[in-house]
């Protein structure tokens, strides 16, 4: 089996890495705060001192980091991934970042004699732990086929969408709907509640109705009880919404519901709720509606 490397062991990245370990892969890893990844070391991961060291020790290196700036910090410089890649290596980025930066990074990877795929994921902590995560992948089709068995050790499906950078564009196009759906769901719950229906009953009805997408089914209950750890906090969600709005302006695609929902994320941040899961847009709308948030 190929030697794997994984950089960015946060809420999602750590769980992806754990599934790779559980599948029997040899995995080296790096996290900016090494102590947070100690549980993976206890499970068999080899923790290394830098992204460069991970790339040097791996045939296929994965990253899953917060944003474009974070991806730049782990790929560039003397301790970055680019410095550690060798001819014939494969680099797979699972982050949601600027499509333009991703395409430029792929060019620089090729200059090292290696090849890059952008492979962001669709799903949550729950879908990941259930093995139902899906991938959208951009890059050379032959490289995709080589990496596909590894991706399927993590999730249920991987779809090749085209050249480098296109999977990131697809992920941005997908993620804008998450917050938009959450805001619409919140509107429905609050409208029912102010009509005299108990919030718990409204949630139950909506989660068993035609509007219950997979996202609504696993995040809708958050209006009753938020998770102890944010699955995807307001700052991360707003980063994706901003990427969508920037891409919309670039491509002349109006995104009115994205723009409106983005303002609710800004309001959540203004209220000091930015560290919570983005489902907290319900709280913002509840305050505007004069409804008490009870959890």
């Amino acid at each position: 089996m190929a030697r794997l490397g994984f950089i960015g062991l946060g809420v999602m990245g750590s769980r992806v890495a754990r599934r790779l370990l559980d599948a029997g892969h040899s995995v080296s890893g790096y996290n900016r705060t090494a102590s947070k990844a100690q549980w993976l070391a206890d499970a068999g991961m080899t923790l290394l001192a830098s992204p460069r060291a991970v790339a040097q020790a791996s045939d296929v290196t994965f990253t899953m980091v917060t944003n474009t700036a974070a991806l730049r910090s782990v790929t560039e410089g003397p301790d970055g991934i680019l410095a550690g890649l060798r001819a014939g290596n494969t680099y797979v980025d699972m982050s949601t970042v600027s499509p333009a930066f991703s395409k430029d990074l792929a060019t620089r990877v090729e200059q090292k004699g290696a090849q890059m795929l952008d492979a962001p994921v669709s799903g949550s902590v729950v879908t990941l732990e259930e093995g139902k995560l899906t991938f959208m992948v951009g890059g050379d089709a032959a490289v995709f086929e080589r990496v596909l068995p590894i991706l399927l050790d993590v999730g249920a499906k991987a779809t090749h969408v085209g050249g480098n950078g296109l999977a990131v564009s697809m992920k941005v196009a997908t993620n804008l709907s998450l917050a938009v759906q959450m805001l619409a769901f919140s509107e429905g719950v609050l409208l029912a509640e102010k009509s005299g229906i108990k919030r718990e009953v409204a949630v139950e009805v909506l989660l068993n109705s035609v509007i219950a997408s997979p996202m609504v089914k696993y995040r809708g209950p958050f209006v009753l009880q938020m998770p102890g750890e944010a699955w995807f906090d307001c700052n991360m969600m707003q980063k994706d919404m901003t990427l969508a709005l920037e891409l919309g302006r670039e491509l002349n695609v109006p995104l009115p519901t994205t723009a409106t929902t983005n303002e609710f994320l800004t309001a959540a941040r203004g209220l000091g709720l930015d560290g919570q899961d983005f489902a907290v847009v319900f709280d913002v709308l509840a305050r505007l509606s004069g409804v008490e948030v009870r959890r």
Side-chain angles (χ1 to χ4, degrees), residues 107-120:
T107 299
R108 287 184 284 163
V109 169
E110 288 180 8
Q111 291 169 352
K112 300 284 292 186
Q115 293 173 299
M116 176 178 168
L117 299 173
D118 45 302

Side-chain angles (χ1 to χ4, degrees), residues 227-246:
E229 179 183 24
W231 290 3
F232 201 66
D233 68 31
C234 288
N235 292 322
M236 290 287 287
M237 188 72 253
Q238 189 156 49
K239 177 262 297 185
D240 289 1
M241 300 293 269
T242 301
L243 287 172
L245 291 168
E246 290 173 350

